[in-house]
Amino acid sequence: MTVLTRVKLTLEEFRARTLVSVANRSFTSKQTPASWVSLKLVQLLLGKPEELDADFDHSSPM
Amino acid sequence: MALIDLIRKSDRLGARKAGTDEKYVICTICDISCQLRASVDENGKLDKIRQHDNPAFSKHICYKGTAAPHVHNHKDRLRVPLKRVGERGEDKWEEISYEQAMDEIADRLSAVVDEHGPEAFAVSTSGWNTQTTHGMDRRFMNLLGSPNWTSGVALCAGNTAAVNKLTYGWFPLGDFMNTKCVVLFGHNPRKHSWSPIYHMIEDARANGAEVIVMDPRVSEQAAAADLHLSLRAGTDAAMCLGWLNVIIEEELYDKTFVDEWTVGFEELLKRVEEYPLSRVSEITGVEPELIARAARMYANADSAIIPWTPITDMQISSTSAIRLQCILRALTGNIDVVGGEIFHGFHPDYIPESELGAHDNLSQAQRDKQLGSQDHPAYTYRAQDMLGDASERVWGHRYADIVMGCYMANPSAMFRAMATEDPYKVKAFFTLGNNTLLSYPNQHQIYAGLMNQDLIVAHEIFMTPTAMLADYVLPGDVFSERNYVADTWGWTGRLQLSQKAVEPPEQATSTFEFWRDLARRMGMTEHFPWESLEDVLDYRLSPMGKTFEEFGRDEYFRFHDANFRKYRRTGFATPSGKVELYSSVLDELGFDPLPYYREGPAISDEYPYYIFTGVREDPFFQTGQRQVEVLRRRSPSPKIFMHPTDAKRDGLIDGDWVDVETATGSVAAKVLVQETMKEGHIRVPHGWWYPEMRYGDSTLSGAFISSDAVLCPDSKEFLDYEQGIPHFKGFPGRVVKRSAPPEGLSQQTLLG
């Protein structure tokens, strides 16, 4: 493994750990400043939950 | 747009959390565990199931999930215990109290055990459906002394977990979020089937990942893939050997990892040399150049995953195919790295069912009696006990029962013993959340086994063909009616909250309560001290330092911290501490320690088609939901897929009723001609029966009309050597046009 590859891998691991950490903080029912910020970050990254389309509506004609 | 504007905008997106009248629930209509929100109407009934409010999960929902109120409030839900009053299978019952049912079951089970020994008691269950067992079934059986527990996971994911352990001591999960290449072996996640996997693949594509699909037909995933290899059904192991040939010959593998962390590379090299691309091409029917291109795409990707697939769970070379996937992961350095396959280990904040199962209580003498362990030991105690020391060293638990699949009796051996009393009598059988009759190969043998029982108990939410054969049928609860914290049996590194939204109907119980109440009646009270599901959850959450109530108040989901390349500290949980390309366990058990390809039974003039079964349809999970109108009308009748050339030759058009036949049985279904099918292949849907055909006359709601479980034999030439798994993916059969549809089908079935 080259030094460059090792550095790249370390950065990727750091990024992945950070993502999990931020996501975990957003999964709380109890509001704290940290969880609020985390949820906002998750929403910024992933966007608004899409409305379900008619395909999910069992009253629609198939 | 300034950052603050983005944050303000995002603040308006979606609700913060489930509202006060809503609960977070884990949907168990299928096995993928989507966390959703449940709301209740003014009458206390489950009203709506909605998508998650956190965008991380909001796409993970399908129309089976939103149909849950139609399932949970269904008029045909079982609500009180039933006792058989007619002949077995006659579907005649009297309603009795839960207390009476449990008293009588305990007495009759004790009588069987006293007369024939504890091994005469067998269980088949599907934990994905029942969810709240908390390992109490294994605990009860291990304390009693019976090793004969099996499950649908013997054919689906559980067996993969066990075989993965043989190679590197754990069952990893692909890091979809960060990967650059996804390889699907016949797996076809769709918007309404394995929805989270579908969306994670979509997200991976959006992040630049390439997707390679191996599938005989042009499935939805294959149509969208960067590369599609239309291989002959059941030849996945040969394909993997071809990939390895390219990867090794062109030196595309991770030499450092192979040198430091694997054993058996030289032996593997010799085995791989037996499979040049010309031979692999001849076996699979895929051009050598395309095989090489796919192997290079996989090996050269910055990171890559081969997600679990049911396809390699169910074929004659299953053990080798699964091990070859493990070996590909290892040789390309995709083990426990970002974008690769993550070894989560047990969640440190939750006591696993592997502990609650009390496996240490089962004596060696009783382990030795586990059915199937002598001929096909891979996922039985016999093989998995050989990993116990290593598992304890690496994972902190001697028993790593990942996905419940690592200490099972072989189902074919179990049903054979029930039917023939060889090698010993099995005379009491319990089935929980598992429509056993339609869920394993050789349905006729299963039926014979069930008819030869002194005691059958079913724990179900609806009457099923299997439950119709029982002496007692107990009503089960559903996901909106119970509290739970799911850890996916150690696989996915996450804890998910599921909250009780409504009360279960009348005398419906959880499987936890069933086993606890039976245990207490049979002298095991001290081992079952918990008074409620919440007591068990408090105990299991004790490493976190929270009660269930506190966990539910504070959070609804918790990922295991992301740590990578953990093997550098602990080694792998195998006897050598390394990735065993050459399996020491298989070697010691007398099997080929290296992976290989074995050809399935050949087609002939009499049976000219390759049949593949076990295929899911979007509206249903396994044998379930056919009685739920809003789902049934999406697929009113069973349909086989066949290629236009084959249909034309056989004189068939869309909508014709046919019998798909093998030497062991036939399936009546409608024809759907599809360009996307591979010529010479027939796709048969899984698990069909007709709840509307309930006549009380031993026809078992049409359990033998369209069930794919009759088609594939489970004689030796159809079974994988190491696990005893049937060859569901490419066995010989034929298609015969019917002069008329089967009698007794509803207008909906006939017209749909």
Side-chain angles (χ1 to χ4, degrees):
Chain A
M1 190 183 285
T2 65
V3 173
L4 195 62
T5 308
R6 200 181 299 277
V7 169
K8 185 166 172 270
L9 195 58
T10 304
L11 287 172
E12 283 180 1
E13 289 183 0
F14 175 75
R15 176 180 155 275
R17 280 199 198 95
T18 306
L19 277 176
V20 168
S21 177
V22 168
N24 265 338
R25 281 184 181 278
S26 82
F27 302 150
T28 59
S29 302
K30 201 162 68 175
Q31 291 269 6
T32 65
S35 70
W36 186 88
V37 170
S38 298
L39 182 70
K40 296 309 133 193
L41 281 170
V42 170
Q43 289 177 338
L44 275 174
L45 286 169
L46 300 177
K48 180 181 179 181
E50 293 169 23
E51 290 299 318
L52 295 181
D53 58 34
D55 199 20
F56 289 87
D57 182 359
H58 297 292
S59 60
S60 301
M62 297 303 138
Chain B
M1 189 184 290
L3 180 62
I4 191 66
D5 293 329
L6 276 172
I7 290 175
R8 279 178 185 146
K9 184 183 172 197
S10 72
D11 199 21
R12 297 193 294 272
L13 303 179
R16 173 68 185 88
K17 59 188 276 292
T20 51
D21 58 343
E22 287 185 321
K23 304 288 186 184
Y24 289 110
V25 290
I26 300 167
C27 178
T28 61
I29 302 281
C30 90
D31 58 354
I32 206 69
S33 301
C34 297
Q35 191 176 47
L36 307 169
R37 288 175 295 168
S39 59
V40 179
D41 69 16
E42 63 275 13
N43 299 315
K45 293 252 184 204
L46 181 65
D47 184 30
K48 279 196 170 61
I49 293 291
R50 297 200 297 149
Q51 66 198 121
H52 210 291
D53 50 344
N54 190 308
F57 311 120
S58 62
K59 286 187 283 189
H60 300 175
I61 185 169
C62 75
Y63 59 52
K64 286 190 290 297
T66 58
H70 296 268
V71 181
H72 295 192
N73 301 325
H74 198 284
K75 64 180 174 55
D76 294 337
R77 271 282 301 274
L78 295 169
R79 289 174 164 78
V80 291
L82 301 174
K83 180 180 180 181
R84 175 169 68 86
V85 292
E87 294 298 311
R88 190 179 295 290
E90 206 178 357
D91 198 16
K92 291 182 179 169
W93 311 93
E94 69 169 319
E95 294 184 359
I96 60 174
S97 71
Y98 178 75
E99 296 300 321
Q100 181 189 340
M102 295 305 291
D103 287 344
E104 292 183 12
I105 291 166
D107 287 346
R108 291 179 64 173
L109 178 60
S110 296
V112 169
V113 171
D114 288 347
E115 186 175 352
H116 305 293
E119 65 274 13
F121 171 47
V123 168
S124 175
T125 182
S126 288
W128 299 108
N129 299 333
T130 57
Q131 284 279 356
T132 51
T133 306
H134 292 291
M136 297 298 143
D137 49 355
R138 301 309 298 261
R139 189 178 189 85
F140 176 88
M141 294 180 76
N142 288 330
L143 289 160
L144 189 72
S146 174
N148 290 324
W149 182 97
T150 200
S151 166
V153 298
L155 311 170
C156 188
N159 59 327
T160 307
V163 174
N164 270 251
K165 281 176 64 187
L166 298 181
T167 307
Y168 39 48
W170 192 258
F171 183 27
L173 186 75
D175 179 7
F176 287 89
M177 192 184 288
N178 297 298
T179 197
K180 293 301 174 193
C181 181
V182 180
V183 180
L184 300 172
F185 279 84
H187 201 15
N188 187 33
R190 300 178 297 277
K191 185 176 174 184
H192 294 287
S193 185
W194 283 299
S195 171
I197 307 293
Y198 167 80
H199 288 293
M200 286 194 292
I201 293 169
E202 291 296 295
D203 289 346
R205 273 189 227 278
N207 289 338
E210 294 170 308
V211 177
I212 305 169
V213 173
M214 274 152 289
D215 197 317
R217 75 186 185 100
V218 188
S219 66
E220 290 84 343
Q221 286 293 344
D226 294 279
L227 283 181
H228 172 213
L229 286 69
S230 176
L231 77 178
R232 178 164 61 91
T235 62
D236 303 77
M239 179 62 74
C240 291
L241 286 157
W243 281 32
L244 282 172
N245 203 306
V246 173
I247 290 167
I248 293 173
E249 190 174 305
E250 298 182 10
E251 299 190 354
L252 303 178
Y253 59 96
D254 185 333
K255 293 188 183 65
T256 308
F257 183 86
V258 168
D259 288 345
E260 294 179 6
W261 289 106
T262 69
V263 291
F265 184 70
E266 290 306 315
E267 292 89 341
L268 177 72
L269 190 57
K270 290 193 182 73
R271 176 59 52 86
V272 169
E273 284 171 354
E274 296 172 23
Y275 293 87
L277 283 194
S278 55
R279 183 183 173 197
V280 172
S281 175
E282 197 175 313
I283 294 169
T284 61
V286 179
E287 290 298 310
E289 294 75 21
L290 187 54
I291 299 171
R293 203 174 143 206
R296 290 181 197 121
M297 183 180 279
Y298 171 70
N300 286 326
D302 282 352
S303 58
I305 59 174
I306 305 174
W308 163 78
T309 165
I311 307 306
T312 45
D313 282 348
M314 306 172 186
Q315 52 182 274
I316 203 163
S317 299
S318 173
T319 305
S320 284
I322 296 167
R323 277 196 12 89
L324 283 159
Q325 290 165 355
C326 300
I327 289 168
L328 281 166
R329 292 166 183 144
L331 260 59
T332 52
N334 280 301
I335 298 288
D336 216 17
V337 293
V338 175
E341 317 274 355
I342 309 299
F343 286 47
H344 286 290
F346 292 108
H347 202 292
D349 298 328
Y350 200 52
I351 295 173
E353 287 196 14
S354 299
E355 281 299 307
L356 290 164
H359 293 278
D360 266 339
N361 286 278
L362 189 67
S363 70
Q364 189 59 51
Q366 291 305 105
R367 284 167 200 248
D368 292 343
K369 293 178 186 171
Q370 191 168 40
L371 290 163
S373 64
Q374 296 309 309
D375 291 334
H376 308 291
Y379 55 64
T380 69
Y381 281 111
R382 187 170 164 227
Q384 297 292 317
D385 277 350
M386 295 163 75
L387 301 167
D389 290 343
S391 181
E392 194 157 20
R393 173 174 52 78
V394 174
W395 304 117
H397 296 275
R398 185 165 193 81
Y399 298 93
D401 195 10
I402 312 168
V403 202
M404 304 167 285
C406 301
Y407 305 95
M408 299 180 285
N410 177 275
S412 291
M414 201 168 98
F415 299 121
R416 193 170 301 119
M418 287 166 59
T420 66
E421 306 185 358
D422 179 29
Y424 52 76
K425 287 183 178 178
V426 175
K427 300 300 282 186
F429 177 74
F430 289 9
T431 173
L432 298 96
N434 176 262
N435 191 358
T436 307
L437 187 63
L438 282 72
S439 298
Y440 300 96
N442 199 346
Q443 185 168 338
H444 295 289
Q445 177 173 268
I446 300 169
Y447 178 76
L450 292 168
M451 293 303 286
N452 191 35
Q453 295 300 291
D454 291 345
L455 172 64
I456 300 177
V457 176
H459 190 281
E460 273 294 353
I461 58 172
F462 290 107
M463 185 60 78
T464 67
T466 308
M468 286 177 198
L469 292 166
D471 297 282
Y472 298 90
V473 182
L474 295 171
D477 62 2
V478 292
F479 70 78
S480 61
E481 298 163 357
R482 60 203 181 203
N483 287 319
Y484 189 51
V485 175
D487 68 344
T488 58
W489 296 273
W491 187 14
T492 59
R494 68 195 191 201
L495 296 181
Q496 294 170 271
L497 173 72
S498 191
Q499 296 169 302
K500 182 177 183 175
V502 297
E503 291 297 326
E506 300 186 42
Q507 296 191 58
T509 61
S510 67
T511 48
F512 157 75
E513 290 166 303
F514 170 78
W515 289 111
R516 179 201 61 191
D517 294 344
L518 186 64
R520 289 181 173 181
R521 283 168 168 80
M522 293 180 68
M524 304 179 199
T525 302
E526 65 181 300
H527 298 286
F528 292 81
W530 305 281
E531 291 302 324
S532 65
L533 274 171
E534 292 69 30
D535 280 353
V536 188
L537 289 164
D538 288 350
Y539 173 68
R540 296 189 68 182
L541 286 165
S542 56
M544 189 189 288
K546 286 185 177 180
T547 63
F548 173 75
E549 188 183 349
E550 290 165 340
F551 180 66
R553 184 194 63 204
D554 296 346
E555 53 194 303
Y556 49 79
F557 198 105
R558 185 186 283 204
F559 276 126
H560 198 333
D561 288 340
N563 288 305
F564 303 97
R565 291 176 285 174
K566 298 177 282 294
Y567 57 83
R568 290 186 301 186
R569 295 193 305 276
T570 61
F572 288 92
T574 58
S576 63
K578 296 189 174 184
V579 177
E580 297 202 349
L581 311 176
Y582 181 102
S583 169
S584 63
V585 173
L586 290 176
D587 193 21
E588 196 171 333
L589 291 168
F591 292 91
D592 192 334
L594 294 166
Y596 56 88
Y597 169 72
R598 180 176 158 218
E599 184 70 25
I603 55 172
S604 62
D605 290 343
E606 188 178 10
Y607 296 111
Y609 288 112
Y610 291 107
I611 310 291
F612 56 96
T613 59
V615 182
R616 284 185 186 187
E617 297 165 295
D618 287 356
F620 313 122
F621 177 58
Q622 316 295 32
T623 72
Q625 292 92 37
R626 267 74 175 181
Q627 62 277 84
V628 181
E629 172 57 23
V630 295
L631 294 174
R632 179 69 176 275
R633 70 187 191 211
R634 293 177 185 270
S635 180
S637 58
K639 295 180 182 68
I640 65 157
F641 293 177
M642 67 190 305
H643 190 271
T645 304
D646 296 328
K648 187 176 178 186
R649 187 179 54 247
D650 288 350
L652 297 169
I653 59 170
D654 274 351
D656 280 348
W657 277 92
V658 295
D659 284 330
V660 179
E661 296 181 345
T662 67
T664 54
S666 68
V667 163
K670 283 184 169 182
V671 168
L672 198 57
V673 179
Q674 295 224 320
E675 288 279 356
T676 54
M677 275 300 292
K678 188 177 178 70
E679 273 189 64
H681 287 59
I682 303 292
R683 168 213 186 260
V684 180
H686 175 51
W688 267 91
W689 57 292
Y690 302 93
E692 64 274 19
M693 294 173 68
R694 193 169 170 192
Y695 305 137
D697 61 354
S698 306
T699 55
L700 304 178
S701 285
F704 286 92
I705 295 174
S706 300
S707 164
D708 59 334
V710 301
L711 289 179
C712 185
D714 64 352
S715 48
K716 280 189 177 174
E717 65 270 28
F718 285 85
L719 294 181
D720 165 272
Y721 289 138
E722 297 85 354
Q723 303 169 59
I725 285 300
H727 192 53
F728 281 167
K729 306 302 176 191
F731 56 88
R734 66 186 171 209
V735 178
V736 179
K737 187 172 182 176
R738 292 181 64 99
S739 56
E743 287 183 12
L745 299 182
S746 66
Q747 281 299 303
Q748 183 188 35
T749 307
L750 293 171
L751 298 174

